[in-house]
Amino acid sequence: MAKWEDKDPKWIVQDRQDGSNVNGWHWEEKNQFGWSKQKLEELLVGLLVDMSAVQGNAKVTALKDLKGEALLTTRKGKKRFAMYDLTVTLTWQGLWVEDDKKQVTGEIIIGEFASANDPDEYEWSVTAEGTGTAQDKLKDHVNTLRRSVFDKLQGYVTALNSLI
């Protein structure tokens, strides 16, 4: 058995110049932020709001911003899991034809999208630029995307976990 007082090499951790994690003993993290941005854009951009053509139309037009982190972690070369804590900002655009054919744009912000949270803990807000009937009506319709967006976010989680 190795004895500490004998300075047995088994007990001495050497400072490695290459900074490598020998045998994957410690935590390793692999950044998946770039992949996450691409995957979320693929899943969310183009989502259509379900509404009557007589009223108008609206859809998600872009992933405007993504903040936070997304990682694949490994412990001792074996235990692997995905960790993410993101704030997603989407832009939407719609046309309200029922009253005055008005073009409206806005944002959807999803906060607290994290591996530690359940979907009912995610924060959800929809904004519209300007004020008026068209903005209010389209904003209400875009709010109905909540379930579809959360389903797509669960698709992201499944895809991220499949990278492990």
Side-chain angles (χ1 to χ4, degrees):
M1 174 144 172
K3 294 183 180 176
W4 178 256
E5 58 274 1
D6 293 340
K7 304 272 187 229
D8 191 303
K10 293 181 212 169
W11 286 93
I12 299 173
V13 177
Q14 305 218 352
D15 185 21
R16 295 186 55 100
Q17 295 299 321
D18 62 3
S20 70
N21 183 2
V22 179
N23 296 324
W25 184 254
H26 303 286
W27 287 101
E28 288 185 85
E29 295 179 342
K30 188 173 179 186
N31 187 344
Q32 294 297 317
F33 188 80
W35 177 90
S36 295
K37 189 170 186 175
Q38 183 179 11
K39 188 66 174 177
L40 288 169
E41 194 165 36
E42 173 189 315
L43 291 170
L44 299 171
V45 173
L47 274 178
L48 298 172
V49 175
D50 186 24
M51 58 194 289
S52 162
V54 175
Q55 294 174 311
N57 60 63
K59 72 175 183 175
V60 175
T61 56
L63 174 64
K64 180 180 179 182
D65 194 24
L66 185 64
K67 293 180 181 168
E69 62 182 0
L71 308 164
L72 294 178
T73 61
T74 305
R75 172 69 173 146
K76 296 185 179 180
K78 295 176 188 161
K79 296 180 185 176
R80 297 182 178 164
F81 53 95
M83 292 177 30
Y84 55 92
D85 187 356
L86 301 167
T87 299
V88 181
T89 304
L90 305 167
T91 57
W92 63 269
Q93 181 177 350
L95 177 66
W96 187 254
V97 296
E98 197 169 72
D99 295 326
D100 54 0
K101 273 195 172 182
K102 184 153 188 174
Q103 191 81 26
V104 179
T105 59
E107 292 183 350
I108 300 169
I109 301 171
I110 303 122
E112 297 299 322
F113 175 50
S115 51
N117 293 344
D118 292 325
D120 61 339
E121 296 176 282
Y122 302 162
E123 295 174 356
W124 171 269
S125 69
V126 176
T127 62
E129 291 182 14
T131 58
T133 303
Q135 284 85 346
D136 292 341
K137 297 283 188 180
L138 278 170
K139 187 172 137 183
D140 289 344
H141 280 287
V142 171
N143 252 320
T144 66
L145 277 179
R146 182 183 180 123
R147 177 59 31 221
S148 296
V149 168
F150 285 4
D151 288 346
K152 296 289 185 180
L153 292 176
Q154 288 311 113
Y156 159 81
V157 172
T158 300
L160 181 62
N161 282 315
S162 73
L163 298 175
I164 296 174

